Amino acid sequence: MLKVKIKDIARETGYSITTVSKAFNGYKDVSEEAKKHILETAKRMGYMPNAHARSLAMNRSYTIGVIFDEELGYGIRHPFFGAVIEYFKEAIEKEGYDLLFISKQIHQTNVNSYLDHCRQRGVDGVFVPNAEFESDEIKELLVSELPKVSIETSSGRTNAVNSNDYEGMKEIVEYLISMGHKSIGHICSNMDEYAGIERLKGYEAAHKNHQLEIRKDYIVMGHLYSYESGYEAMKELLELEDMPTAVAVSGDMMALGAIKAIEEAGLSCPGDISVTGYDNLDILKYMTPGLTTIGQNTELIGRKAADLLLNQIKDPLLPNKEVIINTKLYIRDSVKALS
């Protein structure tokens, strides 16, 4: 059986050899209709592209590095980041790319930094879904020549895709106020990262809009987006003589921990204290009471991140761009209306 070549695909489809080659390599100047026809024809004819030859011809490895740090408590095991990475993976695989995960375990090898590891493996670009953005290693990576994209940051040093965290938290606190709550606590996340800062600003803005006092003792640091950090932060609020009637939590997993602390104190949610979350994780459908929360569009975040990165790989001169994705309020049963 003769080996099918690109020129055979071109003859069969009626497109030029150049167009067929561009379709295989994901160029944007080939229409989706043409690309679909070419790829379907290639599959039907049994064409198998030579990945090594393609890499040499395009001077690319067709590999994307993914930087993550599980020690921060919100790595790929966290449902939000895991979902974003999954949609990112689907999008880049359609363009013929593979993922290479890079963690701090690199220090057990003969490379000295994230950037050294990326260069050693020859990745074409880097996705930074979560990291300590002020660390020296991440700073070194962000100022490098590598195309890169991140989420949950806004520095101008990289392409970025972020939820509108300011408006999201502002909206959910506005909802609590509309339900009669005037004493609203906030379990926040890290104050050295984008989401934590923006959500705290949204919490404060809603209070200012309604001339409500912003009490410092009502704002407790949750540190990590984990069940345990929400649990410990809620215990601090429960020790106050004048406890809040509602708590706006900066993450769903933390909110679940907060509700557990409330129950252990002999109180109930929402009977005694209303609780809201942030993320709209799938696990919420299995809990009682249903958690009122802000949903982030993980699919759109992942796919937009892939688009920004792939475009910059194809044209390294493209300037960094930030995309803001709107959030959505999901009202369930964890908020009690006060008269």
Side-chain angles (χ1 to χ4, degrees), residues 279-293:
D279 285 334
N280 194 39
L281 302 179
D282 285 342
I283 193 174
L284 300 179
K285 68 182 69 172
Y286 303 112
M287 66 167 288
T288 302
L291 186 65
T292 294
T293 188

Side-chain angles (χ1 to χ4, degrees), residues 83-99:
V84 170
I85 291 171
E86 182 61 32
Y87 287 119
F88 177 85
K89 175 176 176 288
E90 288 180 6
I92 66 111
E93 284 180 343
K94 287 183 179 179
E95 301 299 327
Y97 286 82
D98 292 319
L99 293 186

Side-chain angles (χ1 to χ4, degrees), residues 152-309:
E152 306 257 320
T153 185
S154 182
S155 67
R157 297 174 293 180
T158 172
N159 291 297
V161 182
N162 295 308
S163 290
N164 196 336
D165 289 303
Y166 172 86
E167 288 295 338
M169 184 57 74
K170 179 171 169 286
E171 181 179 17
I172 206 163
V173 175
E174 294 271 8
Y175 170 71
L176 288 170
I177 294 170
S178 74
M179 295 292 283
H181 294 274
K182 295 181 180 180
S183 301
I184 303 170
H186 179 44
I187 297 177
C188 55
S189 54
N190 294 338
M191 285 298 100
D192 57 357
E193 50 100 21
Y194 175 86
I197 294 170
E198 291 299 303
R199 292 173 195 178
L200 177 58
K201 287 180 179 177
Y203 167 85
E204 293 174 339
H207 280 70
K208 291 175 182 176
N209 287 348
H210 293 268
Q211 292 80 49
L212 294 177
E213 178 188 4
I214 300 173
R215 291 181 47 167
K216 291 184 178 180
D217 58 343
Y218 275 11
I219 301 173
V220 182
M221 185 71 69
H223 298 291
L224 304 176
Y225 292 95
S226 68
Y227 179 95
E228 291 77 14
S229 64
Y231 174 84
E232 294 298 331
M234 189 67 226
K235 285 174 68 175
E236 288 188 41
L237 291 173
L238 291 170
E239 291 174 358
L240 297 174
E241 184 176 345
D242 181 19
M243 293 186 299
T245 62
V247 181
V249 187
S250 201
D252 285 345
M253 294 303 294
M254 290 196 295
L256 298 185
I259 291 173
K260 179 63 175 178
I262 290 170
E263 292 174 346
E264 285 189 357
L267 303 173
S268 71
C269 171
D272 297 297
I273 301 177
S274 296
V275 175
T276 63
Y278 205 106
D279 285 334
N280 194 39
L281 302 179
D282 285 342
I283 193 174
L284 300 179
K285 68 182 69 172
Y286 303 112
M287 66 167 288
T288 302
L291 186 65
T292 294
T293 188
I294 289 292
Q296 300 191 77
N297 192 332
T298 54
E299 178 175 0
L300 190 54
I301 292 171
R303 297 193 187 285
K304 284 290 185 181
D307 286 345
L308 290 177
L309 183 57

Side-chain angles (χ1 to χ4, degrees), residues 25-28 58-65 88 92 95-99 122-127 145-149 159 305-320:
N25 290 296
Y27 279 81
K28 295 295 184 183
M58 300 296 292
N59 194 28
R60 295 179 190 163
S61 67
Y62 284 87
T63 303
I64 302 295
F88 177 85
I92 66 111
E95 301 299 327
Y97 286 82
D98 292 319
L99 293 186
V123 300
D124 296 325
V126 183
F127 178 34
E145 77 288 353
L146 279 172
K148 59 197 77 74
V149 67
N159 291 297
D307 286 345
L308 290 177
L309 183 57
L310 292 173
N311 287 339
Q312 199 168 62
I313 289 172
K314 291 169 185 175
D315 184 358
L317 297 180
L318 285 177
N320 291 327

Side-chain angles (χ1 to χ4, degrees), residues 7 40 71-72 90 230 242 244 319-320 334:
K7 66 180 181 180
E40 288 179 348
E71 292 178 5
L72 293 179
E90 288 180 6
D242 181 19
N320 291 327
S334 63

